[in-house]
Amino acid sequence: MSTTDTLLVEPSAVSPTKRIVGELLRSREIAVAVVFVLVVALTTIKSPNFLFSSDGWRDLLLTPCLLLILAVGQTVVIITRNVDLSVGSTLGLTAYFTGKLFSDHPGLPIIAVVVLGMLFGAVLGLVNGLLVAIFKVPALVITLGTLYIYRGIFLTWAGSDRINAGDMPKDFLALGTKTILTIPVLTIVGLVVLAAVGYYLYTARGGRELYAIGSDPDAAVLYGLPVNRRIIGAFVLSGALAGLAGVVYTARYGTVSSNAGLGMELQAVGAAVIGGVAIFGGSGTVWGAAIGAFLLVTINRALPVVGISDFWQRAVVGALILGAIVLDRVLSARQERRLVAAREETRSSR
């Protein structure tokens, strides 16, 4: 049997169980999840109230829900080899928009406000997508600009005004504390978003095309993929989810001031990268980004409990992001070497 035949036959000789176990052991998502569990366990050993207090379990699940929603949208954009730095400003602007809807239209149904908030965010995302896809301006530059533009609109609109809990219906504010089987409702909302987007990326043709575009944009164009349409769609989705996060923010905190969402765009990028999403596009999953969001938020909550100063909290997060990027490049380089070696071996056997 030739070497080529061996290469074709050997993979089928491995049992499905061993292949699944091997994939799990190499999974970045599993590694990040293990780190998350260790952080929770060690912090709980240090301070049992971190998990076992009256609000410990609820806060563990509820606090990351905002970042989870943002990270899912950010992941879709990063997969296409772009980035959306405006999501924090979109969240803040939509949160204020949500509060104004309730204060100016007291009888408006909650579901209508949620839909309007997402549509508002989608329009802001559409602006980013059109500028990036049609005018071919780097997403980093465009979204950095719209970050300040949207934040400026927010500050001008809000001024010194703020939305207070008294401006909103009690049923809406109750969503911030309500639970179902000990799981916060807002966390369930985040998990539903995660499942829907994850299913689309994994099964739908459009989802696979997003990965193809991120892997090699020029080849995607030559192959005839609707590159511009997919990129615009990714930014629209990111904006819509940032809009949803704005609605969730308002329900969670019951008040909206001009600093709402400030700095959350970098946290969303960090959560995606820590969760295994390649910053250069073409690979990664929303599941990893979600675990990265939980890890990032939990670390920020855990470090003060164990007595670590604010400076080192930020340093630890920065080290995690740098480590994730370096690991991604190392794994990519190793994979490329293996592919080259396999190609050379196949040629030499002919």
Side-chain angles (χ1 to χ4, degrees), residues 217-229:
D218 295 332
V221 172
L222 292 174
Y223 192 72
L225 298 183
V227 175
N228 286 346
R229 193 171 72 206

Side-chain angles (χ1 to χ4, degrees), residues 40-271:
V40 173
L42 293 175
T43 308
T44 304
I45 292 172
K46 174 71 175 179
S47 176
N49 287 335
F50 180 77
L51 185 60
F52 298 118
S53 66
S54 58
D55 295 329
W57 170 253
R58 182 178 69 93
D59 289 343
L60 181 68
L61 298 179
L62 181 59
T63 308
C65 68
L66 276 173
L67 187 56
L68 185 155
I69 296 172
L70 288 179
V72 168
Q74 189 70 253
T75 296
V76 177
V77 174
I78 293 177
I79 284 172
T80 65
R81 200 177 285 194
N82 291 290
V83 68
D84 188 354
L85 296 180
S86 69
V87 291
S89 297
T90 301
L91 183 154
L93 193 53
T94 308
Y96 188 77
F97 174 69
T98 299
K100 293 297 286 183
L101 283 175
F102 280 125
S103 62
D104 295 345
H105 307 280
L108 203 60
I110 293 174
I111 187 65
V113 173
V114 173
V115 172
L116 288 173
M118 293 185 68
L119 288 175
F120 186 72
V123 171
L124 299 180
L126 178 62
V127 173
N128 290 332
L130 290 173
L131 291 173
V132 172
I134 295 178
F135 295 99
K136 307 302 180 184
V137 181
L140 181 66
V141 177
I142 289 295
T143 58
L144 184 62
T146 53
L147 179 157
Y148 289 107
I149 292 172
Y150 296 163
R151 181 63 60 176
I153 294 172
F154 181 17
L155 295 175
T156 303
W157 186 13
S160 58
D161 187 24
R162 63 184 292 149
I163 302 296
N164 297 308
D167 300 321
M168 292 173 282
K170 293 181 180 179
D171 289 343
F172 178 71
L173 295 175
L175 295 175
T177 55
K178 188 176 181 180
T179 61
I180 297 177
L181 299 176
T182 73
I183 301 175
V185 169
L186 297 183
T187 301
I188 294 174
V189 170
L191 294 176
V192 169
V193 169
L194 171 66
V197 177
Y199 181 79
Y200 173 78
L201 290 177
Y202 188 74
T203 62
R205 177 178 178 177
R208 307 316 300 171
E209 287 177 350
L210 291 174
Y211 282 100
I213 292 167
S215 297
D216 194 333
D218 295 332
V221 172
L222 292 174
Y223 192 72
L225 298 183
V227 175
N228 286 346
R229 193 171 72 206
R230 296 300 181 209
I231 290 176
I232 292 171
F235 277 100
V236 169
L237 177 61
S238 178
L241 292 183
L244 175 61
V247 178
V248 170
Y249 179 98
T250 309
R252 169 79 171 94
Y253 296 107
T255 181
V256 182
S257 61
S258 57
N259 65 350
L262 194 64
M264 290 202 71
E265 55 280 332
L266 296 182
Q267 293 182 45
V269 174

Side-chain angles (χ1 to χ4, degrees), residues 247-333:
V247 178
V248 170
Y249 179 98
T250 309
R252 169 79 171 94
Y253 296 107
T255 181
V256 182
S257 61
S258 57
N259 65 350
L262 194 64
M264 290 202 71
E265 55 280 332
L266 296 182
Q267 293 182 45
V269 174
V273 172
I274 289 172
V277 180
I279 196 65
F280 300 103
S283 67
T285 66
V286 291
W287 318 106
I291 300 171
F294 270 85
L295 176 61
L296 203 56
V297 172
T298 303
I299 284 178
N300 285 331
R301 290 183 57 234
L303 293 181
V305 173
V306 297
I308 297 178
S309 67
D310 182 66
F311 169 80
W312 288 110
Q313 293 172 36
R314 298 176 184 274
V316 167
V317 172
L320 279 174
I321 295 173
L322 289 176
I325 293 174
V326 170
L327 178 61
D328 177 70
R329 298 314 299 162
V330 169
L331 293 177
S332 296

